């Protein structure tokens, strides 16, 4: 199986797209996540939608709006609230935890590999066989 991040932007239109991906694929929706981090002394969050692979494929997409939403516990905001409301509407637990910022990694792909390892260790993604 191939597990790969697909990065969207961090604006409202990108959040709306992420939400639409979750709603349109509710039959494949595996997880909705919020990853919290600190970048330049600012508490930021990434919003993530993980889909199950299609019936006839081995590709598992992980859609992310990376580190562009203020952490809702410090600064409530509409982007987070829209995402949280969608999770509730789709009967999904909103999984939240803290991670290192992507700025600590020399390449974005290394950061994404780091996140995939965390997801696998916590059983949010299956390990590859």
């Amino acid at each position: 199986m191939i597990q790969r991040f697909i990065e969207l932007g961090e604006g409202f239109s990108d959040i709306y797209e992420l939400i639409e991906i979750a709603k349109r694929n509710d039959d494949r929706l595996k997880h909705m996540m919020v990853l919290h981090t600190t970048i330049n002394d600012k508490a930021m969050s990434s919003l993530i939608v993980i889909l199950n692979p299609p019936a006839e494929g081995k590709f598992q997409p992980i859609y992310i709006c990376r580190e562009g939403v203020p952490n809702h516990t410090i600064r409530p905001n509409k982007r987070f609230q829209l995402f949280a409301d969608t999770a509730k509407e789709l009967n999904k637990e909103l999984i939240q935890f803290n991670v290192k910022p992507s700025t600590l990694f020399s390449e974005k792909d290394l950061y994404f590999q780091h996140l995939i390892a965390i997801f696998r260790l916590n059983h949010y993604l299956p390990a590859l066989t």
Side-chain angles (χ1 to χ4, degrees), residues 95-115:
I95 300 165
Q96 300 185 57
F97 53 93
N98 297 320
V99 296
K100 295 178 183 180
S102 64
T103 54
L104 292 181
F105 295 81
S106 59
E107 296 177 23
K108 189 170 36 174
D109 286 340
L110 293 174
Y111 176 67
F112 289 153
Q113 289 174 9
H114 171 73
L115 292 181

Side-chain angles (χ1 to χ4, degrees), residues 19-20 22-24 26 29 32 81-94:
I19 288 169
E20 192 66 19
K23 287 180 176 180
R24 296 283 178 166
D26 66 331
L29 184 59
M32 294 180 73
Q81 195 57 53
L82 288 168
F83 193 71
D85 291 346
T86 300
K88 186 175 183 180
E89 176 185 328
L90 298 172
N91 295 316
K92 287 293 181 183
E93 174 189 355
L94 197 56

Side-chain angles (χ1 to χ4, degrees), residues 43-121:
M44 303 301 287
S45 298
S46 298
L47 305 181
I48 296 176
V49 167
I50 300 177
L51 300 181
N52 285 310
E56 294 297 321
K58 301 221 183 257
F59 174 69
Q60 184 168 30
I62 306 166
Y63 293 92
I64 184 171
C65 291
R66 182 174 50 98
E67 303 169 335
V69 177
N71 184 321
H72 71 283
T73 61
I74 295 169
R75 187 170 139 213
N77 61 84
K78 186 172 181 175
R79 288 179 285 177
F80 171 81
Q81 195 57 53
L82 288 168
F83 193 71
D85 291 346
T86 300
K88 186 175 183 180
E89 176 185 328
L90 298 172
N91 295 316
K92 287 293 181 183
E93 174 189 355
L94 197 56
I95 300 165
Q96 300 185 57
F97 53 93
N98 297 320
V99 296
K100 295 178 183 180
S102 64
T103 54
L104 292 181
F105 295 81
S106 59
E107 296 177 23
K108 189 170 36 174
D109 286 340
L110 293 174
Y111 176 67
F112 289 153
Q113 289 174 9
H114 171 73
L115 292 181
I116 287 173
I118 291 171
F119 296 166
R120 288 178 184 162
L121 285 171

